[in-house]
Amino acid sequence: MRIHPECIPCIIKVRFREISQHISDRGEMLKAFSEILRIVAEYVEKDVPNPVIAMHAFRYVKEITGLDDPYSDYRRKANKYALKFLPYAREFIEKADDSYGRFRRACIVSCLGNLVDPGVAGYKFNPKQWSEMLEGSNFRLDDTKRAFELMHGKHILLLCDNSGEIVFDRLLVEILKENECSVTVAVRSGAFQNDALMADAIEAGLRKVADKIVETGSDAPGFIPWEVSRTFLKEIEDADFVLSKGMANYETIPEYFNYIRKPVLFVLVAKCRPIAYSLGVREGDLVAWLLE
């Protein structure tokens, strides 16, 4: 998915917020924002997917602030909050009548895990509220049945999205293992916003359930083939099926599908209008879309 005009102010606004949290001098801020605008303009002209532009702009944020991981405190808080909700999520999944129902519910849980967000000002979301939200949630676009049939007994590569959310990916892995799948979990090798890193996967308990946890070899969001390591490309090659979490993977994988060449289930919340429009759903809808 190539960048939409609406994505441009979104990228700039997020980078503005990050820089403002760490730089207070007016002159330094203006210089930093000028460079962000230059980076964004350069890659917009190249008509690349949004995550490519966001990646380059965020790398500059890390450079100008001197922070390798500007979201480190946020990620720890997100994991801590998510672990509190884990029993409620597990209970919701276990209410399903059969293995497919548990898989589908695990996908819903994994989607809604993105909403466990301690970074929001005045955050007071509690487990009871989240449990009630689970009961009322459904996929607007739902290819989970076909995906479940294709995945049974196969080797699955799970591409994780955010910290916090990764705690609920553990439940998804548990369900896949129940269905005779082997599961490799992939996380970033370096920080990009609040995306999950190896430390988050370990804190979430994925070592206890996944067959293997690997890194992409890059801090790049989504799947940008020239950024990831050859080792990670081999992990993709060895997988039978890719289970992809989050919008950045959805924005990039179809663009570079020639590197994948196997079924991909995209599980995400359509958080913005361009993503929702491209999928034929409404903003805020839950999506499970299968690309074969």
Side-chain angles (χ1 to χ4, degrees):
M1 178 180 173
R2 298 303 172 98
I3 190 166
H4 189 279
E6 287 185 38
C7 301
I8 298 169
C10 181
I11 293 172
I12 294 170
K13 183 177 180 180
V14 174
R15 300 292 85 95
F16 173 85
R17 183 187 67 206
E18 293 159 350
I19 291 172
S20 299
Q21 288 172 347
H22 299 287
I23 297 176
S24 56
D25 179 79
R26 176 179 177 275
E28 289 184 14
M29 289 177 70
L30 288 173
K31 181 180 178 181
F33 297 146
S34 177
E35 180 62 12
I36 290 292
L37 291 172
R38 187 199 66 77
I39 292 169
V40 171
E42 176 185 347
Y43 286 95
V44 165
E45 288 182 3
K46 294 179 180 180
D47 195 22
V48 295
N50 176 44
V52 176
I53 304 173
M55 172 189 71
H56 287 289
F58 189 68
R59 285 176 178 172
Y60 176 71
V61 170
K62 291 194 287 186
E63 176 187 334
I64 196 70
T65 61
L67 298 171
D68 290 333
D69 185 4
Y71 285 77
S72 58
D73 289 341
Y74 177 96
R75 289 191 295 100
R76 283 191 290 271
K77 289 178 182 177
N79 292 335
K80 182 179 178 181
Y81 270 77
L83 286 165
K84 290 182 180 180
F85 299 157
L86 196 60
Y88 298 86
R90 193 182 299 278
E91 181 182 359
F92 170 75
I93 292 169
E94 292 304 320
K95 288 179 181 178
D97 295 329
D98 55 21
S99 57
Y100 163 64
R102 287 191 291 276
F103 167 72
R104 186 175 181 278
R105 286 191 169 213
C107 288
I108 290 173
V109 164
S110 194
C111 257
L112 291 180
N114 193 263
L115 302 180
V116 180
D117 190 352
V120 175
Y123 184 78
K124 294 182 180 179
F125 205 48
N126 63 54
K128 186 172 183 287
Q129 286 175 313
W130 195 69
S131 181
E132 291 170 354
M133 184 181 291
L134 284 176
E135 295 293 346
S137 296
N138 218 329
F139 286 114
R140 175 70 61 177
L141 177 57
D142 188 358
D143 289 336
T144 55
K145 183 67 174 177
R146 170 65 176 159
F148 182 73
E149 293 168 352
L150 291 174
M151 295 166 77
H152 185 83
K154 300 295 178 61
H155 176 46
I156 312 301
L157 177 62
L158 171 59
L159 305 180
C160 293
D161 188 20
N162 295 341
S163 56
E165 181 180 348
I166 196 173
V167 170
F168 304 103
D169 292 338
R170 171 181 173 172
L171 301 178
L172 189 52
V173 172
E174 289 176 2
I175 297 301
L176 291 170
K177 296 291 290 183
E178 286 179 9
N179 288 279
E180 303 177 14
C181 297
S182 61
V183 184
T184 294
V185 173
V187 294
R188 309 265 176 269
S189 295
F192 175 80
Q193 297 183 184
N194 62 324
D195 282 10
L197 302 174
M198 182 63 75
D200 301 304
I202 294 170
E203 187 174 5
L206 280 163
R207 270 186 174 171
K208 300 175 183 177
V209 295
D211 293 274
K212 183 165 56 171
I213 306 175
V214 300
E215 295 182 337
T216 62
S218 174
D219 61 352
F223 174 66
I224 304 173
W226 61 88
E227 288 285 338
V228 301
S229 67
R230 291 184 179 180
T231 301
F232 182 64
L233 290 175
K234 184 64 165 59
E235 294 291 346
I236 294 174
E237 181 183 337
D238 291 344
D240 299 310
F241 191 104
V242 176
L243 181 48
S244 166
K245 297 292 304 302
M247 295 199 306
N249 283 319
Y250 167 72
E251 291 173 280
T252 50
I253 287 176
E255 288 287 332
Y256 309 117
F257 191 65
N258 58 312
Y259 287 87
I260 306 289
R261 295 194 300 267
K262 59 199 61 185
V264 182
L265 181 67
F266 295 94
V267 178
L268 58 97
V269 180
K271 290 182 176 179
C272 64
R273 200 179 70 85
I275 295 288
Y277 180 80
S278 71
L279 286 162
V281 300
R282 297 176 301 196
E283 191 172 342
D285 281 344
L286 274 60
V287 170
W289 175 59
L290 180 64
L291 174 63
E292 295 187 71

